[in-house]
Each structure stands twice: as C-alpha cells, then as structure tokens.
Amino acid sequence: MFTLQQNLFLFFFILPISCSVHGDGGVGYGYKLKSVSVDSNHKWLTADLALIRKSFVYEPDIQNLNLFASFETSNRLRIRITDSGNERWEIPQQIIPRQQSQFPHRSLPANQMQQKPKQNYFVSDPTSDLIFTLHNTTPFGFSVTRRSSGDTLFDTSPDASDSGTFLVFKEQYIQLSSSLPKDKSSLYGLGEHTKKSFKLQHNDTLTLWNADLASANLDVNLYGSHPFYVDVRSASADDRVAAGTSHGVALLNSNGMDIFYGGDRLTYKIIGGVIDLHVFGGPLPHNVIEQYTELIGRPASMPYWSFGFHQCRYGYKNVSDVEGVVAGYAKARIPLEVMWTDIDYMDAHKDFTLDPIKFPKDQMKKFVDKLHQNDQKYVVIIDPGISVNSTYGTYIRGMQADIFVKRDGVPYLGRVWPGPVYFPDFVNPLTETFWAGEIKMFRDILPIDGVWLDMNEISNFITSPGTPNSTLDDPPYKINNQGIQRPINNKTVPATAVHFGNLTEYNVHNMYGLLECKATHAALTNVTGKRPFILSRSTFVSSGKYAAHWTGDNAATWEDLAYTIPSILNFGLFGIPMVGADICGFSGNTTEELCQRWIQLGAFYPFARDHSDIHSIRQELYLWDSVAATARKVLGLRHRLLPYFYTLMYKAHKKGIPIARPLFFTFPEDIHTYEINSQFLLGKGVMVSPVLKSGAVSVDAYFPTGNWFDLFNYSNSVSANSGKVFALDAPRDHINVHVRESNIIAMQGEAMTTKAARKTPFQLLVAVSKAENMSGEVFLDDGEEVEMGQEGGTWSLVRFYGASFGDRIIVRSEVENGEFASSQNWIINKVTFVGLETTDKVKGYKLTTANGTNLNADTILKTKYDEKTKFKVVEILNLRQPVGKEFNLQLTTL
C-alpha cells in the first residue's frame, strides 16, 4: 500500500500511454507463469506473470503482473494481482482500515519455472477448508476449492476457445472471469440495483457506478456499489457438498465496473485499480457475513429510538404544517417516534440554515423542544453541495479552509438544489474538522437528533464537458452506466476532478458517500457524546460502520412494494443491517389499499419510515381510517418486539449478521428457500409473509419445517413436516407474522414512543418444541451509549434456554452484567407458552431463583385453547421476576 499523496502521481505518470484500437479485435490473450515462489508452510504464494500476446483493444496490455495469494484468517483467502512494475490505485487503509498481508518483495528467479516446472502450485492452511491452486497452463489460471468436499468455489481456468475467460489487465480495463456450476450455484448480492428477485438471475449485467437514479428503475446501477456476493450451493450428486454450503467473494475495488453473470460464469470488467479478491469460506450463509464484516468492519450500533416509526415528506410547507403532522399522529393514537424534514426547512436550500419565513429559528426551536418533551426526535436532511454565496457562512469557512473538490486547480463548480455549489472533499482530513464545526454550529441553534445524507453519489444537476483527450473522463471501455452506457461523468462530478493527495474522482467516486458518512459519524459522536444516527443514500463497502440506508426514490406501485424485500435483504449481506424503504412509496400517488399493505410490511423493516415526494398526494398514516387502524395494529406489534429488534442490532454490531434475513439463513439445507423473494425472517425465527398484490385477501406463503405461531393470535398456527406452501387468510387489515418453534422472544408492551415502551414489564414468549432445544436472548442498555456492549460499559445481556423433557418444560436464564437490568427495575411479568398440544394437561409450575422457590401469591396460570386448534396457549401471569436475576421456570404437564 502506498500513501494518498503517491497514488495519483503514479496514476498520472502511467496514464498518458495510449494507442488507438486496432489489431484482430481480441480484447486480450492472457498471461503465463514466469516464476513462482511458495512459502515453505504453503500459507502464501507469489508469482510473476508475463503477457502472452499484445492486444490494443481498450489500449495496450500491462506486460508483467504479480500475483500474491495468502490466508489472512483460516476462513479468508486473499488473491491480489497488480502491475509488477508500477504501483496502481487501490483502496487506501485510511479509507477502509483492514488487515493487510505482508507481500514478499520478489519471487524466485525467472528460471525457477524452467528448472522445476509443476503443473499446479498450492496454498493451504491446515486450519482452513480452502485450498488455492495456481494452474501452470497457457494462459494460466487459478482456482479455490474446498478441502472437505473438493467443491470448486472460484475458478479462473481459461477456456482456450473463449478470450472472454482470459485474464486481461490494462491501464483502464481489467477482465477476470470465473466459471460456476450452473445448476448448483445460487448467487446473491452485487448491488446496488432494484431487482424483482433476490437471487441473481442468469444472463444479467450488474453495473457498479454510484448514480442518482431513482430506485423505481429496475436493473440499473443505483446509489451504492458493493462488489460482494454470497454463493449458496445445492447438494452435489455424491452428497459430498451439503445443501446450503456457502461461501462469499469480495472484490475490493472502488472503480466502475460491469459484472456479467451468465449462470455458468461470472466475469468482472473493471475500469481501473487492481484485483483484490477475498474468498470467505463460510460454510453457512451467516458465517460468510460474519467473515465479510470482520474484514470491512462491523455495522454501527443504532440508538434504541431509531427502531421507532419515522415520518417524512418532501414538501412540508412550514412549521405549522409539520406540527400538524405530529398532532395528527397523536390524535390517531399511532406511534410516532421521529419527525423528519426534507430540504424545505432550509433557507434557499442551503445546508445548516433555516428558512426565516417558513421555518424560523425561534419557532423551530420550540417545535423541537416540544418533540423532546414528548420523548420524540427530529432528523434533518443535509446535502453535500455547498452554495457558492459570498454571504453564506458555511461557504466562507469552506473557502478559508480550502476543503472543496477541485478541477483544473480551482474548486469544481456544480449545480444542485441551491444553484451553483462546491462539494466538500471528504478525503481531506481538514474537511472532517470543517464538517464537524458546521454540524456543531447548526446543532447549537437547533438540537437535531440525527442527520440524513442525501445526493451524495455525488449527484449533480449538470454534466460538465470532459477534459479534451482525457481517458479519465472518457475511458476506453464504456461501463453500462444507467443501462445505456451513458458517460461516467453524466450528472456527477467529472472523473478528472481532484481530491486531496491528488486522488482523482475517477478512482474515489464510488466512495464519496462512505467518506461523508465517516466524517458525519465522527462529528455527531463528538458533538453529542451519544450514539449517532445517520441515514445515507449513497453507500460503498464498509458504509455500515457509520450509517443506515434506505432504498431511495421508489414509486407508489405494487411492484415497488414487492421490490423492497430483495433490496433490504441485499443490504443485510452488504453489512448495512439498518435498512428500509419509503413506506407507501415516494413518487406518484399512493392509494388507501397500497398504503395499508405497505405499512403492514414496512412495520417490520429494520428502519421504518413513511416518505413521499412534493408532487404526490399526502400519505401520512392517519389520513385513512383503515390505514390508521392497521398502523396501530402493526406498529403495536413492532413496539412489543422492540427488545427483539434491538437485540438483533446488537448481534449485527458484534457479528455482522443481518436483522432482516433470507429464509435460507436459518434453513440453508432447504433448497426451496433459495428462490423466495416475498418473505423474510427477522432474526432466526420470526417470519414476515406480506400481501404484495392489489385486491388479494390471502397469501401463499412458504413455511420451512416446524410449527409456526401467529404473533397476532397465538392460537393460530401452521405446521410443516417438510417445507410447504400454505394459503393463509390475509384480509385487508392483517399481515401474517409467525414465530417458529424453539424460539424464546423477550417482548415489552405497546406505547406511543420507544421510551414509554421501555418502561413496561417484559413478557417472554416461549415457542415450545418437543424436538429441538429452545433459546433466545435480550440485550439491554440505555439505548444511546456510544459503544454498544463494550467491555466495562453499562449494559446487560440475558440469555434464555429451554427444553422439553417428557412431562416437563424448563425455561431458564443466564445473565451477564445483571446490575444494569436490575438498576432499571425491569421485570418479567408474564411468560406465554405456545406449542403445547391440546392433549397436554398442565399440572403445575415452579419458579426457582438464587433465593430459592419464588412465586408471588397472586401469580396466575391460564390456559387457552380452541377445540379446532392443534395447540393450546399457557400463560403464567404476575411473575414479577427481575430481568437481571437468573431464574429457572418449570412447567409440568400430564
């Protein structure tokens, strides 16, 4: 790795070498091995590669390359290929900190291959299931396989008859291709795109180049770039590969690219940088995400209040309008946690200002103070473009600090909502200081609780002319930008613009949103001393360390409602678990039925916000009686599940595992789950099966094996001996949400705010299983301590375990750091058992604690069942068991 200052010097030094396209039209002919050096322990390998034959398509090839392969952990293999003679642009450690391999300075002498040529060279680690093989073919190739099964995970072995399978490495065009087992491989990831299906479909082109394109557009590059995928394998014919065996592949490269997926082959076509592959061994889907986020950084912890319901609109007219929205929710008794305003609040759309007429400072201060008195929060939008205005303090201070992106030696002039703007250069360390200062000054005026970062792809209302003869502004290979190969400069900052350290926009474009998130996260942490909440439209690898994400400008259509599920699941894979979509749709006019169905689904997004466009009708949830009633119902369940959501956030922060998950995360062995686009899990055991079609009053939902219980009515259940589709009733006011047997869920009561809900007693829901052990957990802290669950912090973690032994069901707890939970006087007041068969008669129960048997005189046992149902519901009430104290509860049946 080399310093930021060196990067562009080298890049510019190389760049002028160019040739016109000519020759026989072949894009490249691959490379051969020139020399190889293998570590004596076979944990790393380095090889020199020599070009076989020149091609001038997309300019000349680089003559000599170096390949380095090594194990960074037992489950992570790194393969890096770059120019052996010149250092090239790659993602700096300063931007994405990560473990770095120690590259050997040189390979063995060139004649080493001639003395002892081998057909294959291997890198392996006795603690790893992965094996790297370098193939001494012409052209050369490499592969990654599993030791345990022989399954091939990534294979660049070329097809001599197809130059599209060769490694090609030019100054601004890199081609890398891997074959795949067409009928055994299911791929997920490689975003950001809006797609009909979560599983990637064959014969698709996935373009990565951050752009301000509405997410209502299918199959085009959107706001973020995530060159990472998970590959879930079906069982092999010889059963050596078990169904659900998974691995992941990340290409750490920030340049624009096309990725062609043909089903039997995946081919990257990249317009710069290096090949920096990381293969993650899994072997289960959740293991892959743990390993990926271990490399790129675990997701940021989110404040407890952010799991409440949020309301926003582009087009609120004034303070009175916004106050009316808050009052409307209160009158309708619909929980509202956070009120948002779009750019309407600004003075002439300038960041860190208030409109003196529509949103005057004194009225806004009173409004926000009142929100805070009611335990509600307020979030504002901030765009990166700073208005060029000599009377505007933020502009003046930015010019004095010299922190704007430049082109031709002067700040680059773009145009966004305020008119002419300059863009802060977040590569520059001084920009973080400038940005923090602006946020602090604005917060001193108006105590906002979070920041919404929009337009940070960077979005630009103009397309500046390219620099003449520049292959940065006009690279030889045209990625499929916007689905029609638009120039990469289209409505963004030109690729020849320069950041601090002489880094070109060409190289750092896709990371602008990440860098802004990073600076904003540091600023809010320092200014507030609390856990920050940041929502960002543009994202890149590791953005989840700093921010949440929403899926952008969707439309108020039934199709867009359905698309939100694949989009949200993808961001869980990308290490951004706090994700949601604009409930009821952003653009276009929603309908009563669509909005009713959308809040049913949106209430179970990790991030739940209603947001709409200025040109659409109003869609606050209280405007229709039917929608208001449904909102009370589903947001009521969301509030009861807040401890569950928050504990899933804790798991995501510590291990990277998503909050919203595809079904195959819990049921990897069930190949039917690989195709599901219309359902998802919260955690490992709560399944959401929404209605996604107009007029439907039932839904066909797939249930993996087990007993599943309706969270709105525990008496309703679905039992699947093996995976099966069931037709479920889904009247207009109902969404199907089920919990699976073997799960123990800690819940609290309904309330209008998360703070009020946290003051209610806990309830344990025990989904009894006769065949499996039961488990669950709840993480507790103050909801805003900067670091979640840190050693020495103020928090408690309670784990619940259960088992069925003949006529006894035992549920017990183990408590870590119980002092915090005890200090809050939290109690478990009710335990509900579901899954007891109606033939099971309850004989009695006993609660044991460290102080011995401990049941209150008014503890009550209730049994509910319907002759038509298979299972009964048993409730133990008035327990008053402290959450922070360990207990053992035994239920005895006859």
Side-chain angles (χ1 to χ4, degrees), residues 462-507:
I462 62 172
T463 300
S464 298
T467 300
N469 302 316
S470 168
T471 58
L472 292 182
D473 286 335
D474 185 21
Y477 175 76
K478 316 302 178 191
I479 61 172
N480 197 31
N481 189 25
Q482 302 183 30
I484 52 174
Q485 295 186 338
R486 281 198 188 279
I488 59 172
N489 283 356
N490 188 70
K491 293 193 173 180
T492 189
V493 172
T496 46
V498 177
H499 295 256
F500 176 80
N502 280 340
L503 303 189
T504 57
E505 173 69 11
Y506 185 86
N507 287 328

Side-chain angles (χ1 to χ4, degrees), residues 174-376:
I174 300 172
Q175 176 180 286
L176 180 71
S177 185
S178 171
S179 60
L180 294 165
K182 187 172 185 178
D183 299 322
K184 299 296 182 183
S185 178
S186 296
L187 265 57
Y188 308 87
L190 299 176
E192 177 182 12
H193 312 88
T194 299
K195 292 196 166 291
K196 294 180 180 179
S197 66
F198 177 42
K199 179 180 173 180
L200 295 178
Q201 300 302 297
H202 299 178
N203 302 316
D204 198 1
T205 300
L206 303 117
T207 299
L208 275 56
W209 181 254
N210 293 1
D212 180 4
L213 293 175
S215 58
N217 295 292
L218 276 173
D219 300 322
V220 294
N221 51 302
L222 298 177
Y223 316 105
S225 292
H226 296 272
F228 168 73
Y229 69 85
V230 178
D231 185 339
V232 182
R233 295 287 166 93
S234 301
S236 60
D238 60 5
D239 290 329
R240 291 189 67 195
V241 179
T245 304
S246 304
H247 67 276
V249 177
L251 174 66
L252 289 191
N253 182 299
S254 64
N255 292 91
M257 68 183 76
D258 287 333
I259 306 170
F260 296 89
Y261 175 50
D264 61 351
R265 184 165 289 280
L266 188 77
T267 302
Y268 300 89
K269 299 187 177 183
I270 317 157
I271 60 173
V274 302
I275 295 170
D276 193 2
L277 280 177
H278 293 75
V279 180
F280 307 93
L284 295 174
H286 73 271
N287 299 139
V288 174
I289 306 306
E290 287 185 47
Q291 293 154 13
Y292 178 53
T293 56
E294 181 185 27
L295 174 68
I296 66 168
R298 303 292 195 203
S301 54
M302 295 289 154
Y304 199 95
W305 58 260
S306 66
F307 288 92
F309 177 71
H310 305 244
Q311 177 62 49
C312 187
R313 175 176 171 81
Y314 172 30
Y316 285 134
K317 297 181 177 64
N318 49 40
V319 178
S320 178
D321 192 3
V322 179
E323 290 173 332
V325 172
V326 176
Y329 274 95
K331 182 179 179 181
R333 302 299 296 167
I334 300 171
L336 175 65
E337 186 77 14
V338 191
M339 192 66 209
W340 296 52
T341 49
D342 207 311
I343 58 175
D344 316 285
Y345 79 90
M346 300 176 181
D347 179 12
H349 298 153
K350 299 193 298 291
D351 283 344
F352 309 113
T353 67
L354 294 168
D355 186 305
I357 306 299
K358 299 176 182 178
F359 295 88
K361 178 172 65 174
D362 57 341
Q363 292 183 36
M364 285 297 289
K365 182 68 164 60
K366 289 178 182 177
F367 167 66
V368 174
D369 286 347
K370 186 175 180 181
L371 283 178
H372 291 164
Q373 290 167 13
N374 293 331
D375 299 323
Q376 294 169 301

Side-chain angles (χ1 to χ4, degrees), residues 640-691:
R640 288 165 58 207
L641 289 171
L642 281 172
Y644 184 68
F645 271 102
Y646 192 64
T647 302
L648 293 175
M649 177 74 258
Y650 169 73
K651 289 183 177 180
H653 178 57
K654 292 299 181 182
K655 293 290 187 179
I657 306 172
I659 297 172
R661 307 173 190 174
L663 272 62
F664 63 74
F665 264 53
T666 299
F667 307 96
E669 74 287 346
D670 184 346
I671 61 173
H672 300 292
T673 63
Y674 305 172
E675 308 287 342
I676 291 176
N677 308 303
S678 56
Q679 299 168 262
F680 60 95
L681 294 172
L682 294 171
K684 66 183 178 69
V686 173
M687 186 165 68
V688 182
S689 306
V691 169

Side-chain angles (χ1 to χ4, degrees), residues 55-68:
S55 164
F56 295 95
V57 178
Y58 308 137
E59 299 191 342
D61 302 271
I62 291 174
Q63 296 286 322
N64 297 296
L65 304 177
N66 177 261
L67 179 150
F68 180 74

Side-chain angles (χ1 to χ4, degrees), residues 442-463:
F442 185 64
R443 260 195 111 257
D444 288 344
I445 297 169
L446 193 66
I448 59 173
D449 298 288
V451 170
W452 169 21
L453 301 175
D454 196 19
M455 308 290 285
N456 51 348
E457 290 73 32
I458 302 171
S459 176
N460 191 358
F461 289 173
I462 62 172
T463 300

